[in-house]
Amino acid sequence: MIKVADSKSPVWMLRMQHSDYAIGVDAAGKLQHLYWGAKLVDEQDLPGADDRPIWILEDDQGYSRQEIMPWGGLNYDEPGLKVTFADGIRDLVLVYHSYEQPAEDELVLVLKDALKPLTVRLVYKVRAAVDIVERHVELHNEGTEDIRLEQVLSAIWHLPIQPQYRMSYLSGLWAGETQIQTEPLKPGKKVIESRRGTGSHQMNPFFFLDFGLSDEEFGEVYFGAVAYSGSWKIVAEQTTYQSLLIGAGINDFDFSWKLEPGETFTTPISIGGYSGSGYGEASRKLHRYQLQSVLPCADQLRPVLYNSWEATKFDVNEQQQMRLAEKAAKLGCELFVMDDGWFGERHSDQAGLGDWTVNRTKFPNGLQPLIQHVKSLGMQFGIWLEPEMVNPDSDLFRSHPEWIYHFPGRDRTLSRNQCVLNVAREDVQEHLFGVMHALLSENDISFIKWDMNRYFTEPGWPNAPAGREQELWVRHTRGIYSILDRLQQQHPNVAFEACSGGGGRVDLGMMKYVVQFWTSDNTDPYDRLRIQEGYSLAYNIKSMMCWVTDAPNYINQRSAPLKYRFHSSMMGSLGIGMNLNELSEEELEQSRQYIEQYKRIRRTIQEGSLYRIASPRASDDTAVQYVSGDQSESVVFALRRSEQFRMPFYPIRLRGLDPDAAYSIEGSDVRRSGRSFMSRGIQVQLEADFTSELIVLRKV
Ligand code: GLA
């Protein structure tokens, strides 16, 4: 709900369930950020657009908190916009022009440069129920000469002025994604970013900010993200005036865009949100937002998937995949995915990427016999592809060496023996769409795992349209979105999973196109607890794929019992990655039972409210709870890494139950009130290393 109050100059209040966000126009015609935080009574509670402290030396304009900080005048903070006009002028003075309200929850504020024909539209959409504002920017060249864009962020978020700020974010590496970092901010900039062409394992485009006092359950938390899968940047700048702004959007590093007369440049969305009840509530709002507004097929349960990558690696063939499929179906798997190795001369990671035709030695009659077999077993069929990549040892590379990012005459650095295709080129987009469209038209495929196993280097675009070489970063990402878009229009029943050597491309931009993400190539069930905890900070559980794989784990040789492995993976959307041919009858039967149990409770896990009760970062004991929307069912996982000194797992005090209702624990005669489960807690008996319990509570 957006309220417009027009006294002397207009004020816009974005009113949400538990928070408000307000913008005004100052005497100089600049759009000033007025307020973001807990709900106000009305606009009389707001400061005026000109209420700013006057500082020595820089006058009050130096303290400007503009909604988009254009680089011009006395603005020395991180700019949201930096451009160069054709005559060399590099100064931008944006003045309020008008506003539009296309819908009840949408607002567009139109700004124009004081002298030049550049129109800037700040576009807001309010997700009131989850206290989230979506923001993006559109720049329109109304003149007759080119304008060069050098920095165009999606949003500048201003926090209330407080003596202390603390930032939490997700860093990582291959096999160790989404690790939670929390650190106090000091004057200066804290930048998290990717310059790698895609989101990256190293940093995730997401942040939490608080005033140094909040925790999982209590305190104010501001959060945000960039819905974008290319090189991105989030910069928190704390000024020496104690203010804090966070810019979020496309990375300006090596970025340049030629905006020709009549053209519009549209940024990706950045979201900003507010929680008055700690990190936990901030995550739950993000989860609900994604399930309601971003994730495709959010109302459908994710099927239990089987994938043989860890079991067979590149060595796939028709008979072996059929045998695995038979066993997977008996376990209760619902989707069978064939991973890498089925195409071209792909026998290792040395060759074949780019040649997306079935290898006829491995599959003499094409894919159809395997697909028919999988379907006759009652499962859907999915397949692995890595469309953006090419091995030098491939027919595609041999016929189109110019399709690879490179600087002519210089080395093309390989990573995992592969190069990145120049998806900024429209002919490459056409080629990739054509290949995938044909594959999906000729075969009954329901699911594609879209992988991306290396980052950009030598980002050269030989023969690029004049003056547009550095647009490749953005054009590549837009190219990927457009291929996904076209494929989904042509094949509406095919679901996509995003993977990038594990969780290297997890973001809200990609989430619009994919039903789930491959969380990490690290499938060790203990390492996974931290990776999954970090994931859950920003992203919903339904989209978090977790496989049960063999013991010892290939990553670290750690052996955990089957029960612990299942419990760790049942905390997300469940998959199986074990070599089913090597399992004993007993292990197969136990696995079947876990899968059956998972199916009974998966709606609560995939769609419920998540409570991180005991963090794996704090001790060897981890506990996570899920509560169904109507509070009738709750699922609790408790996992112990190692037991020491016979110390018991402390009573787990549950959250989110109906205090006045009675709940019973499945498989026992325990029956107590929700209030008692939340205040007294439940005691689990975990007495050895790698032990775990799954407790299901139901309202009686
Ligand atoms: C990446 C993925 C794995 C697997 C391999 C195949 O590493 O993350 O799950 O698909 O590629 O080469």
Side-chain angles (χ1 to χ4, degrees), residues 315-371:
D315 189 16
V316 294
N317 64 58
E318 187 181 277
Q319 285 309 310
Q320 163 228 50
Q321 291 289 302
M322 284 182 174
R323 299 294 81 83
L324 282 169
E326 287 156 15
K327 295 201 164 164
K330 275 201 191 136
L331 291 189
C333 294
E334 299 154 312
L335 167 64
F336 182 87
V337 183
M338 178 160 66
D339 212 280
D340 200 348
W342 59 269
F343 52 89
E345 290 306 313
R346 185 75 169 166
H347 309 293
S348 71
D349 61 12
Q350 302 279 331
L353 285 179
D355 301 339
W356 302 107
T357 44
V358 184
N359 181 302
R360 289 282 169 165
T361 316
K362 298 178 183 181
F363 298 89
N365 305 304
L367 294 174
Q368 256 335 96
L370 172 62
I371 296 176

Side-chain angles (χ1 to χ4, degrees), residues 96-161:
Y96 170 68
H97 175 266
S98 56
Y99 79 93
E100 296 157 20
Q101 212 179 334
E104 215 204 327
D105 56 356
E106 283 171 25
L107 174 69
V108 183
L109 300 177
V110 184
L111 312 173
K112 288 185 185 282
D113 181 69
L115 298 168
K116 295 282 189 183
L118 174 66
T119 300
V120 177
R121 293 162 63 87
L122 310 185
V123 183
Y124 299 82
K125 188 172 176 81
V126 175
R127 305 287 185 176
V130 286
D131 293 288
I132 286 176
V133 177
E134 293 178 351
R135 224 296 281 272
H136 77 265
V137 178
E138 295 166 7
L139 282 98
H140 185 58
N141 182 350
E142 321 235 26
T144 52
E145 291 174 308
D146 295 347
I147 302 174
R148 182 140 301 275
L149 312 182
E150 292 163 32
Q151 167 138 329
V152 194
L153 295 180
S154 305
I156 295 278
W157 304 104
H158 296 277
L159 254 70
I161 294 171

Side-chain angles (χ1 to χ4, degrees), residues 39-321:
K39 274 205 96 54
L40 301 172
V41 174
D42 224 330
E43 65 275 4
Q44 70 264 14
D45 298 336
L46 292 171
D50 290 286
D51 293 350
R52 291 195 293 276
I54 309 244
W55 298 89
I56 302 166
L57 192 61
E58 288 163 25
D59 67 17
D60 64 338
Q61 290 301 320
Y63 199 75
S64 196
R65 305 189 89 198
Q66 294 185 57
E67 272 296 288
I68 182 85
M69 302 282 277
W71 190 69
L74 279 165
N75 176 22
Y76 301 106
D77 300 334
E78 179 71 16
L81 268 182
K82 186 173 183 317
V83 308
T84 299
F85 294 100
D87 55 7
I89 287 180
R90 309 196 309 283
D91 167 63
L92 192 56
V93 178
L94 291 183
V95 179
Y96 170 68
H97 175 266
S98 56
Y99 79 93
E100 296 157 20
Q101 212 179 334
E104 215 204 327
D105 56 356
E106 283 171 25
L107 174 69
V108 183
L109 300 177
V110 184
L111 312 173
K112 288 185 185 282
D113 181 69
L115 298 168
K116 295 282 189 183
L118 174 66
T119 300
V120 177
R121 293 162 63 87
L122 310 185
V123 183
Y124 299 82
K125 188 172 176 81
V126 175
R127 305 287 185 176
V130 286
D131 293 288
I132 286 176
V133 177
E134 293 178 351
R135 224 296 281 272
H136 77 265
V137 178
E138 295 166 7
L139 282 98
H140 185 58
N141 182 350
E142 321 235 26
T144 52
E145 291 174 308
D146 295 347
I147 302 174
R148 182 140 301 275
L149 312 182
E150 292 163 32
Q151 167 138 329
V152 194
L153 295 180
S154 305
I156 295 278
W157 304 104
H158 296 277
L159 254 70
I161 294 171
Q162 285 295 297
Q164 226 188 35
Y165 301 98
R166 186 170 58 179
M167 183 168 176
S168 301
Y169 57 97
L170 302 170
S171 71
L173 66 166
W174 177 77
E177 297 85 339
T178 50
Q179 302 291 313
I180 301 172
Q181 310 293 342
T182 298
E183 63 187 47
L185 296 178
K186 295 282 172 203
K189 286 190 197 179
K190 168 74 192 179
V191 181
I192 56 171
E193 64 176 351
S194 163
R195 300 179 181 186
R196 293 167 180 258
T198 70
S200 93
H201 296 80
Q202 278 64 30
M203 293 283 167
N204 191 279
F206 152 82
F207 67 85
F208 272 180
L209 278 156
D210 69 282
F211 303 121
L213 302 167
S214 306
D215 63 19
E216 188 64 21
E217 291 292 318
F218 303 102
E220 296 187 286
V221 176
Y222 291 78
F223 55 91
V226 187
Y228 185 60
S229 317
S231 292
W232 57 272
K233 169 167 121 171
I234 291 175
V235 43
E237 179 161 23
Q238 183 174 339
T239 69
T240 47
Y241 304 127
Q242 284 188 325
S243 62
L244 185 87
L245 61 82
I246 310 111
I250 291 171
N251 203 330
D252 56 315
F253 174 78
D254 199 42
F255 164 83
S256 172
W257 191 278
K258 180 162 92 173
L259 193 67
E260 288 182 1
E263 279 183 349
T264 299
F265 182 89
T266 303
T267 70
I269 287 170
S270 168
I271 61 161
Y274 172 82
S275 151
S277 313
Y279 303 133
E281 187 58 23
S283 295
R284 289 186 289 276
K285 286 181 189 219
L286 279 160
H287 298 172
R288 283 209 301 280
Y289 163 67
Q290 293 157 16
L291 292 182
Q292 283 162 10
S293 315
V294 190
L295 186 75
C297 309
D299 54 348
Q300 291 163 30
L301 293 171
R302 293 298 174 260
V304 176
L305 157 168
Y306 180 78
N307 179 307
S308 73
W309 168 246
E310 282 195 26
T312 62
K313 289 277 159 59
F314 300 95
D315 189 16
V316 294
N317 64 58
E318 187 181 277
Q319 285 309 310
Q320 163 228 50
Q321 291 289 302

Side-chain angles (χ1 to χ4, degrees), residues 381-569:
F381 179 81
I383 201 162
W384 180 95
L385 285 165
E386 198 179 358
E388 290 147 272
M389 294 295 154
V390 58
N391 288 117
D393 187 0
S394 68
D395 293 340
L396 183 69
F397 188 96
R398 283 181 283 271
S399 53
H400 283 294
E402 78 285 6
W403 278 8
I404 276 79
Y405 290 124
H406 68 285
F407 293 115
R410 297 177 69 89
D411 275 356
R412 304 173 189 206
T413 306
L414 298 183
S415 174
R416 208 195 190 207
N417 310 302
Q418 61 202 57
C419 302
V420 187
L421 279 174
N422 182 345
V423 183
R425 289 174 64 127
E426 280 170 15
D427 52 356
V428 173
Q429 291 172 25
E430 269 321 303
H431 168 79
L432 293 180
F433 170 77
V435 166
M436 294 174 77
H437 177 51
L439 185 75
L440 292 175
S441 306
E442 287 155 20
N443 300 286
D444 206 348
I445 294 172
S446 312
F447 178 92
I448 286 194
K449 176 178 174 186
W450 181 310
D451 210 338
M452 206 291 184
N453 278 309
R454 69 153 293 179
Y455 302 118
F456 296 28
T457 51
E458 297 95 23
W461 178 358
N463 306 316
R468 295 200 177 270
E469 297 81 356
Q470 286 166 286
E471 296 178 10
L472 67 93
W473 301 102
V474 173
R475 289 189 183 274
H476 183 108
T477 309
R478 289 185 178 175
I480 298 301
Y481 291 157
S482 130
I483 297 169
L484 280 162
D485 219 25
R486 289 171 69 191
L487 287 170
Q488 292 179 354
Q489 274 169 30
Q490 299 282 330
H491 307 277
N493 298 325
V494 178
F496 288 78
E497 175 182 78
C499 170
S500 174
R505 184 143 73 180
V506 181
D507 61 75
L508 294 178
M510 195 46 82
M511 193 184 283
K512 249 184 82 184
Y513 299 96
V514 303
V515 296
Q516 61 202 39
F517 293 98
W518 178 224
T519 314
S520 177
D521 279 347
N522 186 338
T523 54
D524 170 76
Y526 175 68
D527 280 5
R528 261 307 179 103
L529 296 182
R530 277 193 182 202
I531 295 172
Q532 293 173 188
E533 182 189 46
Y535 187 100
S536 81
L537 214 60
Y539 303 106
N540 70 85
I541 298 306
K542 184 172 268 190
S543 66
M544 178 175 81
M545 276 312 295
C546 309
W547 303 349
V548 178
T549 58
D550 290 319
N553 192 279
Y554 84 104
I555 279 279
N556 51 20
Q557 302 311 310
R558 193 183 277 143
S559 282
L562 192 66
K563 181 176 178 185
Y564 185 94
R565 281 182 276 147
F566 260 98
H567 285 169
S568 170
S569 295

Side-chain angles (χ1 to χ4, degrees), residues 466 574 593:
L574 179 66
Q593 288 175 16

